[in-house]
């Protein structure tokens, strides 16, 4: 795997945010529900998106990805009902094609997705939901087999935790199953609303996304449509925290500022200067920003996907901060790497206690997942000297043109494929 090398930089300037990865992935899974053409706009060029497109092609769909415009055209029917291990291993969100393929073809099978650095990542809520929708779901040597059965006229699915993936999976499948399905304690993320809007554009009858109760009245068939995904709130939040952590200032464009209220609330507490428009935000670092406490929660709480980046920002704040991770309770693989850069952080169960330090020192650190790698790159821009972030390819899973975008903000950054050669 390669490395990203960064040197101390004060990030400043203007930046345009790409389409949301965590909208594009469930939406690409949902287009399996029709064999008519679906045209999607603002799909970001990311390795996770490429993996999902590979899955659609493996299933038999025709997919054209015009990377220069971010337009994806999907058409054709499903020919194969098994999703290969090497694709599910690369990206666990691919598990969400199990239901759509089974509901159209009568059955489907996919490997049980594994865990990753941020947690065990079980899929029991997905499976329980599919069973409630009348599917037979069995395990066989690491594979999950789903067979469509008879769905009761009225079904209520209660999620023990507002799982984003389980909400999306159940909502997509229920869209083409007879009768009414209600999802209680549903995830409320903006990407769930985006998926509902896409499905309704395809002829579905869904309401309530964005609240904890989603009502789906099944329709016989979904048709093609044209749809544009929302901007990526996590990409936007990452660049905002990068600019502030490096003492810079910037204008971030094409961002739904109403999707990041929890971040703005934290930044204001720390003394950062934040001027929000509807689709853009101007941020300016304040020299001695203050620490503050953060409770990571499902939306509309502070997003877990900005937790690593927030830890870097607060590592250089005045005073003490506490971050409690209530979504992925062990998502702290990046903390050890930050301590190696001079951060003062202690982990106590699912909480980190951060005592702000004057400076971080550049060194070699290791990326462990998409957001942790982004956080280490930000730490490198703030640290004295040079930082090499190894296993850098994680960042390309979720940040379109990330090297160019940071360079445009004045970041001294380069990507070395295959790592820096040992001298
Ligand atoms: C989605 O993952 C996102 N991925 C994640 O973003 C994000 O961190 C997460 O939601 C939380 O917001 C995509 O949208 C592709 P969950 P997902 O199901 O759906 C537990 C990124 O960096 N759970 O909401 O997998 C689970 O263990 C990625 O872009 C079960 O116990 O997350 C976790 O503790 C990382 N059983 C909690 O629920 C289940 O069946 C939330 O997980 C499902 C989940």
């Amino acid at each position: 795997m390669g490395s990203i090398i960064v040197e101390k930089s004060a990030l400043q300037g203007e930046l345009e945010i790409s389409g949301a990865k965590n909208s594009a992935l469930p939406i690409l899974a949902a287009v399996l529900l029709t064999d008519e053409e679906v045209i999607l706009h603002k799909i970001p060029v990311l390795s996770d998106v490429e993996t999902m497109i590979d899955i659609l092609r493996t299933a038999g769909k025709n997919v054209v990805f015009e990377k220069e415009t971010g337009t994806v055209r999907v058409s054709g029917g499903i020919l194969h009902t098994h999703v290969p291990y090497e694709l599910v291993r690369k990206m666990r969100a691919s598990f969400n094609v199990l239901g759509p393929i089974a509901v159209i073809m009568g059955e489907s099978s996919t490997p049980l997705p594994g865990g990753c650095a941020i947690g065990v990542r079980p899929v029991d809520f997905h499976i329980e939901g599919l069973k409630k929708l009348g599917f037979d779901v069995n395990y066989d040597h690491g594979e999950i087999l789903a067979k469509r059965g008879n769905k009761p006229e009225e079904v209520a699915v209660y999620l023990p935790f507002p799982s984003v993936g389980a909400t999306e999976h159940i909502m997509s499948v229920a869209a083409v199953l007879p009768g009414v399905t209600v999802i209680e304690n549903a995830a409320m993320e903006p990407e769930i609303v985006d998926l509902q809007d896409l499905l309704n554009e395809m002829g579905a009858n869904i309401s309530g996304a964005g609240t904890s109760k989603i009502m789906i009245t099944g329709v016989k068939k979904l048709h093609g449509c044209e749809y544009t995904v929302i901007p990526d709130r996590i990409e936007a939040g990452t660049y905002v925290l990068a600019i502030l952590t490096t003492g810079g200032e910037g204008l971030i464009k094409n961002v739904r500022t109403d999707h990041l209220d929890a971040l703005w609330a934290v930044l204001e507490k720390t003394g950062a200067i934040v001027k929000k428009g509807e689709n853009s935000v101007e941020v300016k670092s304040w020299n001695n920003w203050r620490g503050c406490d953060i409770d990571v929660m499902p939306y509309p709480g502070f997003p877990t996907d900005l937790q690593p980046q927030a830890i870097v920002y607060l590592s250089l704040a005045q005073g003490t901060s506490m971050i409690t991770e209530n979504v992925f309770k062990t998502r702290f693989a990046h903390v050890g790497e930050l301590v190696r850069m001079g951060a003062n952080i202690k982990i106590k169960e699912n909480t980190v206690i951060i005592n702000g330090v004057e400076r971080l020192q550049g060194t070699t650190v290791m990326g462990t997942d998409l957001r942790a790698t982004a956080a280490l790159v930000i730490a490198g821009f703030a640290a004295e000297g040079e930082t090499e972030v190894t296993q850098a390819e994680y960042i390309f899973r979720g940040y379109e043109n990330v090297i160019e975008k940071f360079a445009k903000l004045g970041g001294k950054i380069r990507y070395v494929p295959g790592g820096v050669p040992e001298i």
Side-chain angles (χ1 to χ4, degrees):
M1 287 180 92
S3 292
I4 287 180
I5 318 287
V6 291
E7 290 172 55
K8 189 173 178 67
S9 314
L11 300 176
Q12 49 203 357
E14 288 194 12
L15 196 69
E16 181 98 8
I17 294 302
S18 302
K21 166 179 86 84
N22 290 350
S23 265
L25 296 178
I27 283 176
L28 284 167
V31 303
L32 286 161
L33 295 168
T34 182
D35 51 12
E36 294 183 20
E37 184 177 48
V38 175
I39 302 170
L40 302 171
H41 297 293
K42 291 276 186 196
I43 300 295
V45 180
L46 301 168
S47 48
D48 273 6
V49 167
E50 305 272 14
T51 302
M52 187 57 92
I53 287 175
D54 286 348
I55 287 166
L56 296 187
R57 287 179 177 144
T58 306
K61 305 291 272 186
N62 309 311
V63 185
V64 177
F65 189 4
E66 296 159 12
K67 294 183 183 176
E68 54 292 341
T69 60
T71 298
V72 172
R73 297 165 193 279
V74 190
S75 60
I78 297 172
L79 306 172
H80 309 288
T81 61
H82 175 69
V83 184
Y85 172 72
E86 61 276 6
L87 292 173
V88 176
R89 181 185 58 74
K90 270 164 81 175
M91 186 194 59
R92 55 185 320 288
S94 35
F95 180 70
N96 277 37
V97 305
L98 178 80
I101 294 176
V103 82
I104 298 295
M105 303 298 283
E107 63 174 36
S108 72
S109 60
T110 167
L112 189 62
C116 66
I118 65 177
V120 175
R121 312 295 295 272
V123 287
D124 49 334
F125 303 161
H126 298 241
I127 290 164
E128 289 318 305
L130 290 175
K131 284 181 176 170
K132 283 223 149 176
L133 293 175
F135 287 81
D136 258 350
V137 184
N138 295 294
Y139 295 89
D140 180 28
H141 292 87
E143 295 276 322
I144 295 195
L145 316 168
K147 266 197 178 52
R148 180 172 170 167
N150 295 318
K151 173 184 174 290
E153 183 55 24
E154 307 223 338
V155 170
V157 179
Y158 175 79
L159 293 177
F161 186 93
S163 154
V164 170
T167 302
E168 292 166 343
H169 204 167
I170 295 160
M171 184 165 92
S172 299
V173 173
V176 290
L177 283 173
V180 174
T181 303
V182 176
I183 306 174
E184 304 269 8
N185 198 27
M188 303 193 277
E189 275 70 1
E191 292 78 24
I192 311 271
V193 178
D194 218 15
L195 178 61
Q196 168 188 276
D197 294 349
L198 173 272
L199 287 165
N200 286 342
E201 203 60 35
M202 293 169 73
N205 179 355
I206 305 173
S207 59
T211 74
S212 61
K213 183 171 181 173
I214 301 177
M215 168 97 75
I216 305 114
T217 306
V219 296
K220 275 208 175 348
K221 215 170 142 23
L222 295 180
H223 51 70
C225 73
E226 192 153 357
Y227 191 78
T228 302
V229 302
I230 56 172
D232 193 318
R233 62 191 169 97
I234 302 302
E235 183 196 17
T238 301
Y239 284 107
V240 164
L241 285 162
I243 289 166
L244 294 175
T245 304
T246 59
E249 57 182 291
L251 172 65
I252 309 286
K253 296 186 283 189
N254 189 39
V255 50
R256 282 282 303 272
T257 51
D258 60 321
H259 290 166
L260 283 162
D261 288 341
L263 174 65
W264 310 135
V266 162
L267 294 181
E268 268 140 39
K269 269 192 236 161
T270 65
I273 298 147
V274 178
K275 283 195 201 102
K276 282 176 290 180
E278 200 187 324
N279 293 301
S280 66
V281 61
E282 240 182 299
V283 290
K284 190 171 177 345
S285 186
W286 186 57
N287 286 345
N288 305 316
W289 61 90
R290 299 182 293 275
C292 83
D293 294 348
I294 299 178
D295 251 339
V296 170
M297 296 294 283
Y299 194 89
F302 192 92
T304 178
D305 291 345
L306 289 177
Q307 174 258 91
Q309 305 89 313
I311 288 182
V312 180
Y313 177 59
L314 295 173
S315 292
L316 290 165
Q318 302 284 317
T320 302
S321 308
M322 260 174 61
I323 299 189
T324 303
E325 173 57 77
N326 296 300
V327 177
F328 293 110
K329 297 184 185 297
T330 59
R331 185 180 197 164
F332 295 129
H334 40 284
V335 168
E337 297 303 286
L338 292 170
V339 168
R340 294 183 55 249
M341 296 179 75
N344 179 341
I345 309 171
K346 301 248 179 327
I347 300 177
K348 219 159 152 300
E349 289 164 10
N350 62 322
T351 295
V352 289
I353 296 117
I354 307 162
N355 286 302
V357 293
E358 277 296 306
R359 66 183 57 77
L360 297 175
Q361 280 116 16
T363 183
T364 299
V365 289
M366 184 175 78
T368 46
D369 74 83
L370 159 58
R371 309 300 174 184
T373 306
L376 292 171
V377 168
I378 294 171
F381 281 130
E384 303 302 322
E386 181 178 277
T387 297
E388 178 189 352
V389 182
T390 63
Q391 306 201 135
E393 282 73 15
Y394 278 117
I395 204 168
F396 301 128
R397 294 187 57 168
Y399 292 94
E400 187 177 48
N401 299 329
V402 61
I403 304 295
E404 296 80 359
K405 287 189 177 185
F406 271 128
K408 186 167 183 294
L409 291 174
K412 298 186 193 77
I413 183 169
R414 62 192 167 90
Y415 169 56
V416 181
V420 178
E422 292 300 317
I423 298 162

